[in-house]
Amino acid sequence: MTDEAAPPSAVPAGRRAKAATIYDVARAAGVNPSTVSRALSKPGRINVKTEERIQAAARDLNYRLNPMARALPTGRTRTLGLLIADITNPMFFNVVRGAEREATRRGYTLVLAESQESGEREAEAAERVLPSVDGLVLVTSRLADDQIQDLAERGPLVVINREVEGVNSVVPELDPGIEQALAHLAELGHTAIAFLSGPANSWMNRARRESVLANAPSCGMAVAEIGPAAPTLDGGRAAIDAVVASGVTAVLAYNDLMAIGLMRAAQERGLTVPGQLSIIGFDDIFGSDFTSPQLTTVRTPLGRIGEDAVRRALDLIDDTPTAPAATEEPLLTELIVRGSTGSVDG
Amino acid sequence: MTDEAAPPSAVPAGRRAKAATIYDVARAAGVNPSTVSRALSKPGRINVKTEERIQAAARDLNYRLNPMARALPTGRTRTLGLLIADITNPMFFNVVRGAEREATRRGYTLVLAESQESGEREAEAAERVLPSVDGLVLVTSRLADDQIQDLAERGPLVVINREVEGVNSVVPELDPGIEQALAHLAELGHTAIAFLSGPANSWMNRARRESVLANAPSCGMAVAEIGPAAPTLDGGRAAIDAVVASGVTAVLAYNDLMAIGLMRAAQERGLTVPGQLSIIGFDDIFGSDFTSPQLTTVRTPLGRIGEDAVRRALDLIDDTPTAPAATEEPLLTELIVRGSTGSVDG
DNA sequence: GTGATGGTGGCAACCGTTTGCCAATTCTGG
DNA sequence: CCAGAATTGGCAAACGGTTGCCACCATCAC
């Protein structure tokens, strides 16, 4: 009873009783199918009494509109494609969650495609889902700018964490969190820090690096640059030599994964964190508080980013003339101080 | 340039140039639309020369089949619904990834719906996606058995991590990993351990607990049961009092999250892990190796579970007469020994 | 030369909605 | 009481494919 191997006997596919159509409802209510269609999708267009009769008939027959049949004449599927580079990257979880939430709120369904970090597969996946979705959200696209622009011409499209000329994008404001992080380190007495770069061709990596470089001087800090390296645990881990060689007392890593990898490597080498090396990550991913010490990090409002991206895409689709900017709260990053930062050891 | 706030000016939705249809292709190739349809989907049915001519025309016009239009007469969407209770639960990542992979491999697309841990929302979501997918995979359903059975009557359905009478399910074999875990603890000298229960109504929790209870005696160990508690960090954290009171030297938690919460609480209370308390988790989720010490855990082959579930669903849909059981390798759990287990302190 | 055979490709119906157009009916106001 | 407007609901044509059925033609064996 506990855990016998899943029995090999598959249960046969249930005969899907074919669903009621508007014709059935029409017959039951004694009206024309077109009237049923209107009763169900254009409230007020027809007489209240007939509408009620139709509603009742539909309920009786347990009628459900066939989305495919509707999509044919209208060209609208009430479906949104979400293209993500790598489901395994924990930063996506929150994005997906926010996206899912906003989509269901507006009656849309999410179609998921993973490109496994490959631009080619991503283009392929985009082609595959494009004809059956009303819009597309690209989460951390590996596509070139012009490919993205082409895609944007073919339908509503929103990119997350990247800016492409002429394409809608949702990007958080990096400066607030980075300023806080730098101020925090300055306060702790650090004067020489390093930015540990992620992938060289990543728009977000460049943005983060530039913000750090731009804001450091005003805190009286010198910034060395280390990397680029893979945005993974191992990428961070491998950077330890360079970090030690650079002689800095604190590191701002491109993302949490690298920060955690670096922390591990430092500890394995006998360095104390934060005693001898302070480390700050980026994103505040799931698990960044599992480490000892817990990771100090610049949180990105991932959930709200996903939500906003979907909202934008849906506004485009519904031709809502761009939600008044006033209602959209800015997407701010914010420093979360935990245990991996401290004052420099005497 | 670095990170100005996302500009409020939305780029207008590109006018989606309407795509070429088989009629366009037919005209270009000088044949009947039905011939185009056959050329494209029934290889060999028509003359090689004409087929080539049609292929060429299709390529020229950049023709793509309209999935919705195809779905109407055939009733098949080449789409699979994935219902998950909570995207945020890290155990889903791997499941989703495996599912996505197998789905694309077979030319299917995944439609995602989250039920936010609510049975009601789950039923709703199922209703919503059901008419537009060819099958359904339930990841950690909050539905009652009979609701699931009803759903199974309406179309191909597979449940993950749960067994329901008469419904296809994919569940890993728990015994191997649990036996290894118990043997491992026995070898380290533990004789009194506890099982920290997750949600009382969870099928998987019951299965794990029963396997532990069933296998412990043969290792000469006494098992106390603690809980039930929420399957979260806090749920694990809150159990520390009960664990201490029970006087056991090792704990097997329902899942990794609880194990990590418990570890944290133990350490905060000055207990050494594994010195005074050994802890084993379940699943080997992302981040379970971020902790200090890294978590020893019984790994569940989450990715393969997702893959298998999709395979099963697709076999059901394609009426493949249940893949010969021989080809399916069993889904075994396996103990991953890391740092959170050790011999009992003198 | 003829009838059977098999390979090709056209015809038209159908899948379940939506929607423009129009006819019939009811409601207005003068 | 009547013309004109507003409601209401039916008709039929899409939307873009699939597929059963049939006709045509070239072979082929006899």
Side-chain angles (χ1 to χ4, degrees):
Chain A
M1 231 304 182
T2 58
D3 67 321
E4 54 199 71
S9 61
V11 178
R15 272 294 142 256
R16 204 193 280 248
K18 53 185 165 311
T21 73
I22 50 171
Y23 290 89
D24 301 324
V25 178
R27 199 172 325 117
V31 296
N32 188 284
S34 61
T35 308
V36 175
S37 173
R38 285 195 269 257
L40 266 26
S41 52
K42 307 257 183 357
R45 169 66 170 76
I46 67 173
N47 189 299
V48 185
K49 297 242 13 158
T50 5
E51 182 167 335
E52 274 170 10
R53 192 147 40 91
I54 292 175
Q55 298 279 14
R59 215 172 310 116
D60 278 1
L61 296 172
N62 191 26
Y63 168 78
R64 328 228 144 250
L65 185 143
N66 179 328
M68 249 76 56
R70 165 184 271 188
L72 201 39
T74 62
R76 305 275 297 281
T77 60
R78 300 195 73 75
T79 261
L80 222 48
L82 198 64
L83 250 63
I84 78 192
D86 172 16
I87 309 204
T88 279
N89 182 330
M91 88 149 252
F92 291 129
F93 308 151
N94 293 314
V95 174
V96 172
R97 166 162 248 192
E100 219 280 337
R101 208 150 273 184
E102 177 69 10
T104 17
R105 215 173 57 69
R106 311 244 313 230
Y108 272 68
T109 301
L110 246 38
V111 166
L112 194 69
E114 190 198 7
S115 59
Q116 294 166 40
E117 303 274 6
S118 134
E120 202 175 334
R121 268 186 234 262
E122 186 174 342
E124 205 174 277
E127 288 305 336
R128 190 161 48 95
V129 302
L130 207 55
S132 51
V133 299
D134 292 347
L136 224 45
V137 174
L138 264 36
V139 179
T140 305
S141 186
R142 296 296 192 262
L143 261 28
D145 277 17
D146 58 341
Q147 288 180 290
I148 294 184
Q149 285 158 339
D150 284 356
L151 236 34
E153 308 230 314
R154 306 223 266 137
L157 180 138
V158 174
V159 233
I160 280 179
N161 267 6
R162 171 160 171 181
E163 277 174 11
V164 178
E165 174 78 31
V167 176
N168 295 282
S169 70
V170 175
V171 173
E173 294 184 37
L174 300 179
D175 283 339
I178 290 182
E179 280 166 11
Q180 288 170 31
L182 293 171
H184 172 63
L185 290 178
E187 199 172 322
L188 292 170
H190 299 271
T191 54
I193 68 171
F195 178 76
L196 174 52
S197 254
N201 57 358
S202 152
W203 185 92
M204 190 39 100
N205 181 63
R206 210 164 47 241
R208 288 179 181 173
R209 186 190 34 154
E210 284 174 15
S211 175
V212 170
L213 260 34
N215 287 296
S218 63
C219 297
M221 283 197 290
V223 183
E225 198 187 331
I226 296 176
T232 60
L233 277 184
D234 283 340
R237 173 172 253 133
I240 185 66
D241 287 329
V243 168
V244 169
S246 72
V248 299
T249 56
V251 174
L252 250 158
Y254 163 64
N255 71 12
D256 286 344
L257 240 29
M258 296 181 77
I260 293 171
L262 178 66
M263 188 192 311
R264 228 185 223 347
Q267 289 168 333
E268 279 166 13
R269 190 174 275 236
L271 294 176
T272 60
V273 177
Q276 294 170 276
L277 186 66
S278 283
I279 298 179
I280 298 185
F282 235 108
D283 284 339
D284 191 23
I285 61 169
F286 174 88
S288 61
D289 57 343
F290 286 0
T291 57
S292 300
Q294 297 181 32
L295 190 67
T296 295
T297 185
V298 177
R299 171 181 295 164
T300 316
L302 262 11
R304 289 198 37 226
I305 289 179
E307 223 174 282
D308 263 40
V310 167
R311 193 198 333 278
R312 285 278 271 284
L314 260 27
D315 285 350
L316 246 39
I317 293 169
D318 295 346
D319 252 343
T320 315
T322 304
T327 67
E328 270 182 42
E329 284 174 51
L331 298 165
L332 301 177
T333 55
E334 154 197 33
L335 181 70
I336 305 295
V337 178
R338 290 200 278 244
S340 67
T341 44
S343 51
V344 352
D345 249 10
Chain B
M1 230 304 180
T2 58
D3 67 323
E4 53 200 70
S9 61
V11 177
R15 271 295 139 257
R16 204 193 280 246
K18 54 185 165 312
T21 72
I22 51 170
Y23 291 88
D24 301 324
V25 177
R27 200 174 321 119
V31 296
N32 189 283
S34 62
T35 309
V36 176
S37 173
R38 286 195 268 257
L40 267 25
S41 52
K42 306 259 194 329
R45 169 66 171 76
I46 67 172
N47 190 298
V48 185
K49 298 240 17 160
T50 0
E51 182 168 335
E52 274 170 9
R53 193 149 38 92
I54 292 175
Q55 299 279 14
R59 215 171 311 117
D60 279 1
L61 296 173
N62 191 25
Y63 168 79
R64 328 227 143 252
L65 185 145
N66 179 327
M68 250 73 56
R70 189 216 279 259
L72 200 40
T74 61
R76 305 276 296 281
T77 60
R78 300 195 73 76
T79 262
L80 222 49
L82 198 64
L83 251 63
I84 77 191
D86 171 17
I87 308 204
T88 279
N89 182 331
M91 88 149 252
F92 290 129
F93 309 151
N94 293 314
V95 173
V96 172
R97 166 162 248 193
E100 219 282 335
R101 208 149 274 185
E102 177 70 8
T104 17
R105 215 173 58 68
R106 312 243 316 227
Y108 272 68
T109 301
L110 245 39
V111 166
L112 193 69
E114 191 197 6
S115 58
Q116 294 166 40
E117 303 274 4
S118 132
E120 201 175 336
R121 268 187 233 262
E122 186 174 341
E124 207 173 275
E127 287 304 335
R128 191 160 48 95
V129 301
L130 206 55
S132 50
V133 299
D134 292 348
L136 225 43
V137 174
L138 266 35
V139 178
T140 305
S141 186
R142 296 297 192 260
L143 259 29
D145 277 16
D146 57 342
Q147 286 180 292
I148 294 185
Q149 285 159 339
D150 283 356
L151 237 32
E153 307 230 314
R154 306 223 266 138
L157 180 138
V158 174
V159 230
I160 281 181
N161 268 5
R162 170 160 172 181
E163 277 173 11
V164 177
E165 174 77 28
V167 175
N168 294 282
S169 70
V170 176
V171 173
E173 294 184 36
L174 300 179
D175 282 339
I178 288 182
E179 280 165 11
Q180 288 169 30
L182 293 172
H184 172 62
L185 290 177
E187 199 172 322
L188 292 170
H190 299 270
T191 53
I193 68 170
F195 178 76
L196 174 53
S197 254
N201 57 358
S202 152
W203 185 92
M204 191 39 100
N205 180 63
R206 208 163 50 239
R208 289 179 181 174
R209 186 191 34 156
E210 283 175 15
S211 176
V212 170
L213 259 36
N215 287 295
S218 64
C219 297
M221 284 198 288
V223 183
E225 198 187 332
I226 297 177
T232 60
L233 277 185
D234 284 340
R237 173 170 253 132
I240 184 66
D241 287 330
V243 168
V244 169
S246 72
V248 299
T249 56
V251 175
L252 250 159
Y254 163 64
N255 71 12
D256 285 344
L257 240 29
M258 296 180 78
I260 293 171
L262 178 66
M263 187 191 312
R264 228 185 222 350
Q267 289 169 333
E268 280 166 11
R269 188 174 277 235
L271 294 177
T272 60
V273 177
Q276 294 170 275
L277 186 66
S278 283
I279 299 179
I280 297 185
F282 234 108
D283 283 339
D284 190 23
I285 61 169
F286 174 88
S288 62
D289 56 345
F290 286 1
T291 57
S292 298
Q294 296 181 33
L295 189 67
T296 294
T297 185
V298 177
R299 172 180 296 164
T300 318
L302 263 10
R304 290 199 35 227
I305 290 180
E307 222 172 283
D308 263 40
V310 167
R311 192 196 336 275
R312 286 278 271 284
L314 258 30
D315 285 350
L316 246 40
I317 293 170
D318 296 346
D319 253 342
T320 316
T322 304
T327 67
E328 270 181 41
E329 284 174 51
L331 298 164
L332 302 177
T333 54
E334 154 195 34
L335 181 70
I336 305 294
V337 178
R338 291 199 278 243
S340 67
T341 43
S343 52
V344 353
D345 249 10

